[in-house]
């Protein structure tokens, strides 16, 4: 998201006692990467070559598929979400353009946009015009790296993002803010939202870049970036997203600063999972098979595109894959 201090998905709160389970769908035939670039803060699509989790082609002739015309006019940290029926799709993004005259990261965290950019589609091809939806309170300095998860039990989405908060008496946000934390709200249509609340807020650790990986009915893995050390760590739960979490010791790749995890299950190999980490210039892919005691090793980069930034990876059905390939050919 930003040089050396940047920024992010399913909700079931039932209690489970089973260990982490494998949860993968054989009906998926490929993957879609939704991302942006620093030079062009717009929505870019990359479609997998067959069902490869690391080999992709730049869609739409190597040009963005969508551009924001609201808010700052720039959009970063792209996230694609859908419901269980896959009858609707939403693209979300941070309303932020770092290329504008007079930009500074300090200003972006104090008087940044408290809204997210939203597009809607029913087929991944025809998209609505962008809308800017305010999700944060007046005390927030910004709303960054949105992600969302559909919850069948309540027929709504849970939306997550990163922010920092200022005192209610500090209307101009000139004082000292809280540490970065993960916030959330609920929505059924991405037009109206519940009041924002803290999801993960540590008293001594600034946290951003949350990403969830669902591994069972009530079991999840999540990844968070500790901004103090600029490293991503992992936690697991078998009690739903609002259950108790167990920290995996250490960090995924402690030898270098990394951020913006994108996590997804392999479509072909049961029990294999992927995490892409942004090294502040582009994504680097890693994989592991044991999420309780993981050893995240570097994935093959044969066919892996250069320049991918903080985004999301979505498994695709044959119908979805064919539609995107036809509408946005490489």
């Amino acid at each position: 998201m930003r040089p050396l201090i940047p920024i992010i998905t399913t909700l079931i709160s039932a209690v489970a006692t089973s260990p982490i389970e494998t949860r993968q769908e054989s009906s998926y035939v490929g993957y879609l990467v939704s991302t942006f670039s620093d030079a062009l803060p717009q929505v870019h699509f990359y479609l997998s070559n067959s069902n490869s989790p690391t080999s992709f082609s730049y869609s739409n002739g190597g040009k963005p598929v969508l551009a924001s015309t609201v808010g700052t006019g720039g959009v970063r940290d792209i996230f694609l979400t859908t419901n269980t029926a896959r009858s609707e799709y939403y693209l979300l993004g941070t309303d932020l353009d770092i290329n504008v005259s007079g930009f500074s990261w300090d200003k972006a965290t104090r008087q940044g946009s408290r809204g997210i950019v939203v597009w809607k589609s029913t087929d991944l091809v025809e998209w609505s015009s962008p809308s800017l939806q305010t999700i944060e309170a007046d005390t927030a300095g910004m709303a960054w790296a949105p992600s969302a998860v559909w919850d069948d039990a309540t027929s709504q989405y849970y939306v997550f993002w990163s922010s920092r908060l200022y005192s209610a008496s500090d209307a101009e946000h000139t004082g000292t803010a809280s540490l970065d934390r993960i916030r959330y709200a609920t929505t059924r249509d991405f037009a109206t939202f519940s009041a924002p609340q803290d999801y993960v807020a540590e008293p001594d650790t600034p946290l951003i870049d949350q990403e969830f990986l669902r591994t069972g009915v009530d079991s999840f893995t999540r990844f968070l970036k500790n901004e103090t050390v600029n490293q991503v760590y992992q936690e697991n739960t078998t009690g739903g997203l609002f259950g108790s979490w167990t920290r995996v010791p250490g960090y995924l790749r402690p030898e270098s600063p990394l951020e913006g995890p994108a996590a997804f299950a392999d479509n072909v190999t049961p029990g294999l999972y992927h995490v892409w980490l942004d090294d502040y210039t582009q994504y680097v892919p890693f994989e592991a098979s044991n999420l309780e005691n993981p050893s995240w090793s570097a994935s093959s980069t044969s066919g892996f595109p250069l320049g991918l930034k903080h985004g999301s990876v979505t498994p695709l059905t044959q119908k979805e894959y064919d539609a995107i390939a036809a509408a946005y050919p490489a």
Side-chain angles (χ1 to χ4, degrees), residues 88 90 111 127 145 240 257 260 277 279 292 297:
E88 61 183 16
Y90 291 94
Q111 290 91 32
W127 292 91
L277 300 174
D279 69 359
E292 292 190 25
S297 60

Side-chain angles (χ1 to χ4, degrees), residues 9 93 130 210 248 307 319:
T9 331
Q210 179 183 250
V248 174
K319 179 181 179 181

Side-chain angles (χ1 to χ4, degrees), residues 9-30:
T9 331
T10 348
L11 179 64
I12 296 181
S13 55
V15 174
T17 57
S18 59
I20 290 177
E21 309 165 49
T22 299
R23 182 183 182 272
Q24 281 144 306
E25 303 289 346
S26 60
S27 60
Y28 294 134
V29 303

Side-chain angles (χ1 to χ4, degrees), residues 38-197:
D38 285 325
L40 283 174
Q42 301 168 357
V43 179
H44 305 243
F45 280 174
Y46 287 77
L47 189 62
S48 65
N49 297 314
S50 188
N51 215 351
S52 170
T54 56
S55 179
F56 291 83
S57 295
Y58 194 171
S59 300
N60 201 37
K63 296 181 293 186
V65 297
L66 295 167
S68 176
T69 56
V70 297
T72 67
V75 63
R76 301 166 65 89
D77 315 321
I78 311 302
F79 190 88
L80 174 62
T81 190
T82 186
N83 56 14
T84 302
R86 300 176 88 87
S87 60
E88 61 183 16
Y89 308 86
Y90 291 94
L91 274 168
L92 316 176
T94 301
D95 175 33
L96 182 64
D97 185 356
I98 68 170
N99 301 313
V100 297
S101 176
F103 173 82
S104 77
W105 286 107
D106 181 68
K107 182 178 179 180
T109 60
R110 292 178 180 275
Q111 290 91 32
S113 177
R114 295 182 293 107
I116 58 174
V117 182
V118 179
W119 288 267
K120 181 180 180 179
S121 175
T122 58
D123 58 8
L124 290 172
V125 172
E126 298 293 332
W127 292 91
S128 69
S129 298
S131 63
L132 182 63
Q133 301 295 336
T134 300
I135 56 174
E136 256 299 3
D138 292 342
T139 52
M142 77 289 192
W144 280 353
S147 65
V149 183
W150 172 258
D151 178 38
D152 270 329
T154 57
S155 297
Q156 63 184 348
Y157 293 90
Y158 284 77
V159 187
F160 301 89
W161 65 91
S162 304
S163 192
R164 60 181 61 169
L165 305 179
Y166 293 83
S167 169
S169 62
D170 183 9
E172 299 301 317
H173 300 173
T174 58
T176 301
S178 71
L179 296 180
D180 294 312
R181 76 249 335 265
I182 307 300
R183 304 266 280 171
Y184 82 99
T186 60
T187 184
R188 298 185 189 278
D189 56 9
F190 285 90
T192 58
F193 297 81
S194 66
Q197 301 181 64

